[in-house]
Amino acid sequence: MRNVSSRPPVAVYGRTPFPFGGKALFLLTLCLFLSTGAAAQRRAARIKADSIAATYAGRVQGGAHLHFYETTHDFGDIPRKGGNLVREFEFVNDGTEPLVLLRVLTSCTCTKASFSKRPVAPGERGVVKVIYEPHKKEPGAFSKVIQIFSTSIEGRNVLTVRGNSIDVKKL
């Protein structure tokens, strides 16, 4: 007579306790992960679209809106010991409420930014002055980010200055 026990089946070399085999289980798990990733991507795209729609709806409903005419500047090849580089980024408040620049953060101590703390009325223009000091960094390519925090609908805007600092040797 055979001994019948209530123990679960034990995996034997080359076999699994699953009725469809290991390959089927692997494919099932892979499909599950891929479908979860696709759903997350669709959700992220929907959130981004809603955010963009809210931004444009905010312009229509009211509020300040910070619009830079240019957000990136390339200085090109510059001498490292040639002095500070200055770029003024002009902006306009194309919203319906006064705009106030709250603070400016730079990605490096070699980059400074100055701005007016006075409110900018709707339709008026302003300037953010960015100063890059190449002598404070090693020669080579650079890309510095300046974050502008304001009462704008977006709340944060990003400016970028880049270039290539060259160490000119004296003859």
Side-chain angles (χ1 to χ4, degrees):
M1 183 167 219
R2 239 172 137 198
N3 184 8
V4 178
S5 73
S6 61
R7 292 187 325 187
V10 179
V12 180
Y13 181 74
R15 294 185 175 230
T16 62
F18 303 107
F20 300 111
K23 289 181 183 177
L25 179 64
F26 173 75
L27 290 174
L28 181 66
T29 305
L30 182 65
C31 289
L32 179 69
F33 282 125
L34 291 177
S35 66
T36 304
Q41 285 179 348
R42 285 192 301 273
R43 192 173 327 114
R46 187 172 53 246
I47 289 171
K48 184 175 180 181
D50 291 346
S51 170
I52 291 170
T55 299
Y56 287 110
R59 279 194 205 172
V60 173
Q61 293 174 359
H65 182 254
L66 176 61
H67 173 74
F68 281 95
Y69 294 110
E70 176 184 32
T71 58
T72 304
H73 181 71
D74 190 347
F75 287 111
D77 291 338
I78 52 119
R80 183 170 168 252
K81 303 280 186 186
N84 296 343
L85 304 172
V86 179
R87 178 66 183 174
E88 292 185 347
F89 289 93
E90 290 187 46
F91 67 88
V92 65
N93 175 8
D94 62 358
T96 58
E97 298 288 324
L99 171 75
V100 179
L101 300 184
L102 303 172
R103 68 180 171 158
V104 175
L105 294 178
T106 59
S107 61
C108 179
T109 58
C110 61
T111 309
K112 307 271 187 263
S114 61
F115 60 96
S116 173
K117 293 171 179 53
R118 290 183 171 190
V120 179
E124 300 236 341
R125 299 172 190 261
V127 172
V128 174
K129 184 177 180 180
V130 176
I131 302 169
Y132 175 68
E133 300 170 329
H135 65 276
K136 290 188 174 182
K137 298 303 280 180
E138 294 297 320
F142 64 88
S143 180
K144 304 300 172 187
V145 175
I146 301 95
Q147 297 182 66
I148 314 291
F149 294 91
S150 68
T151 58
S152 176
I153 298 165
E154 292 92 10
R156 181 181 75 107
N157 294 75
V158 177
L159 303 175
T160 306
V161 292
R162 64 179 67 133
N164 186 26
S165 175
I166 300 171
D167 221 358
V168 179
K169 297 183 181 185
K170 295 181 180 178
L171 299 175

